Amino acid sequence: TSLFALIDAGIANIQATSTATIGGDLIYNGNVARWTKAAYSLKLKLLVQTRRVDNTAGSKIAELLTLNTSTTGGIFIASAADDFQFRFSKTQNPDNRHPMYIDGYAGGEAAYTYFGAKFMAEMLANRDPRTPFYFKRQTDKVLNLDDPAEKQTAPCSQRDDCVYSYFPLSNYVANLVYGKTAANLSDDERNYLAGYFGRDRSDPSGVPNDNPLRTTVGAYPAGGLFDDEAEAGGDNQGSGDGIFPMITSWMVKFYLIEAQLTMGATSGITNEKLLGDALTEQMAKVFAVGTAADADASGTVADWADYEWPITYKAPATFVTDVVAGYTTFAGDKLQYVLKQAWFANFGNGYEIYNAFRRTGFPGDLQEPLQIPRQFALRLPYAQSEVNLNPNTPGVVYDSPTNAVFWDALKFQF
């Protein structure tokens, strides 16, 4: 409740007449109109987030939508120019580059740890044109699992129940991506999949010396390298001046879809158009940030044939059209479909995905953990430094439903 009051006070303060010059604004460079849109968009976000425990959220969103319609230019973030995001710099001393970039490049080939295998496999299967911007392959060598040393290096080396396991030798992945068994893959297809080196969810196998093999972060959002060829991700390549998207035009559209599906809100725009526009805007941002980070990413999807990948990605417009058509024909819960698309689109802002899942349980088709050492984390722990310095830090069990964040009505448990 106090946060909504603070937002309203902030909007009033921003709109007050003043001769002061705003300095040091790393987000909007002193543009109060854009700060106002960020404030209203934050208000919309929090109303959607608390909708399951606040029976007035729907009427409050309706008020915002009325104001949005009656205000020239609207009150929400509606275009890339208004996006509430932080852009990192190329500065190395002090190091102000994107944290994902630092881990993926400056901290060794793959200090970034592992990508989820399901996330990568589904983007490949969908022929998602964001794939070579999100992920950077470091190898095209197929490991020989008959060699004990190389088998130990492969994902899921100590389990026999992985769904995705090692991509180039996985029948599941080969069928999902290419519609054939692993044995029937061409050498080029097998080598290409070898670079998508991640892990099944909660694979407890030990961590071998596979830094030079793991898929690392790409040109978006971290400002790394475009995946034009398999090469080591280290050696401080790329720029590192990527972005952290906090509230963007596409996120606002996802909020509006959820409000229309769950609370009967009416923005005057159909869910199909909102979804299509959200994906179009997010892909434009991916291409813009990615091509600025790595010139090899320039051009259109049609130009990517020069890279001789054994896979043809869809053009962005085609991809969006197909996703929207899928929404229209989807027989299940439409919110499940939409939030699965948000899962792909909000890469680079894990909080959005985490909060959406805690609020709704969607996407509901996430891979089941291979092992469950503890329950699903319902909130994030305080930093250890806070615990050490502040004796009043709340002592909570972070996977306990009793300690779930107040708006979490679902309290998901495995």
Side-chain angles (χ1 to χ4, degrees):
T1 301
S2 62
L3 290 181
F4 286 114
L6 282 171
I7 294 171
D8 289 338
I11 292 172
N13 289 339
I14 287 172
Q15 294 175 342
T17 301
S18 173
T19 58
T21 299
I22 300 175
D25 179 0
L26 299 179
I27 307 296
Y28 289 130
N29 195 30
N31 189 311
V32 295
R34 288 176 177 163
W35 271 111
T36 302
K37 288 187 175 184
Y40 279 115
S41 300
L42 176 59
K43 195 169 184 177
L44 174 66
K45 169 189 170 74
L46 296 182
L47 286 169
V48 170
Q49 193 133 294
T50 57
R51 66 176 175 81
R52 299 190 67 179
V53 296
D54 179 5
N55 57 16
T56 68
S59 61
K60 292 173 182 175
I61 288 176
E63 293 174 4
L64 290 179
L65 292 175
T66 299
L67 182 60
N68 184 59
T69 302
S70 62
T71 301
T72 302
I75 62 170
F76 299 130
I77 293 170
S79 68
D82 297 332
D83 282 349
F84 186 51
Q85 67 182 30
F86 180 80
R87 179 171 287 279
F88 294 86
S89 77
K90 301 178 182 179
T91 304
Q92 298 185 40
N93 187 22
D95 201 335
N96 291 325
R97 295 173 294 180
H98 198 291
M100 291 167 65
Y101 177 89
I102 294 173
D103 286 346
Y105 293 80
E109 293 94 337
Y112 179 68
T113 189
Y114 299 92
F115 278 107
K118 180 180 176 69
F119 187 55
M120 294 190 294
E122 289 189 344
M123 291 191 71
L124 288 167
N126 295 338
R127 300 300 191 263
D128 192 321
R130 295 168 290 192
T131 305
F133 288 100
Y134 282 13
F135 311 118
K136 177 62 182 169
R137 291 172 300 136
Q138 297 195 90
T139 183
D140 58 6
K141 175 189 175 182
V142 178
L143 298 173
N144 177 13
L145 300 193
D146 291 329
D147 180 333
E150 293 195 6
K151 179 179 181 180
Q152 182 184 12
T153 307
C156 213
S157 60
Q158 299 169 25
R159 306 280 295 200
D160 58 7
D161 56 349
C162 286
V163 176
Y164 300 89
S165 191
Y166 183 47
F167 278 16
L169 303 181
S170 165
N171 284 323
Y172 183 86
V173 173
N175 182 63
L176 183 68
V177 177
Y178 286 111
K180 60 179 78 170
T181 65
N184 289 323
L185 291 172
S186 69
D187 288 342
D188 286 343
E189 290 168 342
R190 193 173 290 112
N191 293 344
Y192 189 71
L193 289 179
Y196 290 94
F197 191 109
R199 283 206 176 195
D200 281 53
R201 186 178 179 191
S202 296
D203 175 4
S205 303
V207 180
N209 184 23
D210 60 1
N211 276 8
L213 304 177
R214 300 181 207 169
T215 306
T216 193
V217 294
Y220 179 89
L225 295 178
F226 180 73
D227 189 49
D228 54 322
E229 61 179 322
E231 59 186 342
D235 301 323
N236 293 321
Q237 300 177 76
S239 59
D241 58 338
I243 65 166
F244 181 76
M246 292 178 279
I247 303 179
T248 61
S249 63
W250 71 80
M251 291 179 192
V252 168
K253 290 175 175 64
F254 280 122
Y255 303 150
L256 291 174
I257 295 173
E258 184 170 345
Q260 293 187 161
L261 285 173
T262 63
M263 291 182 282
T266 53
S267 69
I269 306 173
T270 66
N271 290 332
E272 286 85 353
K273 180 168 174 52
L274 285 170
L275 178 59
D277 289 349
L279 294 179
T280 298
E281 291 161 11
Q282 194 267 344
M283 288 198 179
K285 180 64 66 76
V286 169
F287 275 64
V289 172
T291 54
D294 186 349
D296 288 342
S298 61
T300 65
V301 172
D303 298 324
W304 296 355
D306 295 339
Y307 300 130
E308 299 182 346
W309 295 325
I311 195 168
T312 301
Y313 291 104
K314 294 179 180 180
T318 302
F319 181 86
V320 172
T321 297
D322 290 347
V323 170
V324 173
Y327 173 86
T328 302
T329 59
F330 189 68
D333 191 320
K334 298 286 191 181
L335 187 58
Q336 152 70 18
Y337 187 94
V338 168
L339 291 184
K340 185 59 182 288
Q341 293 305 318
W343 192 60
F344 294 117
N346 288 326
F347 174 58
N349 184 335
Y351 300 107
E352 277 297 306
I353 302 166
Y354 179 48
N355 288 343
F357 183 81
R358 285 187 295 172
R359 183 173 68 253
T360 67
F362 297 143
D365 61 347
L366 301 182
Q367 183 183 4
E368 289 293 322
L370 297 185
Q371 68 169 11
I372 305 176
R374 62 182 298 169
Q375 272 297 339
F376 183 83
L378 295 172
R379 63 190 298 161
L380 297 177
Y382 287 91
Q384 189 59 46
S385 58
E386 178 72 12
V387 175
N388 293 342
L389 295 172
N390 183 357
N392 297 316
T393 302
V396 298
V397 179
Y398 297 98
D399 57 1
S400 167
T402 303
N403 295 314
V405 177
F406 78 95
W407 49 256
D408 183 358
L410 182 66
K411 298 177 173 49
F412 176 81
Q413 299 280 275
F414 290 121

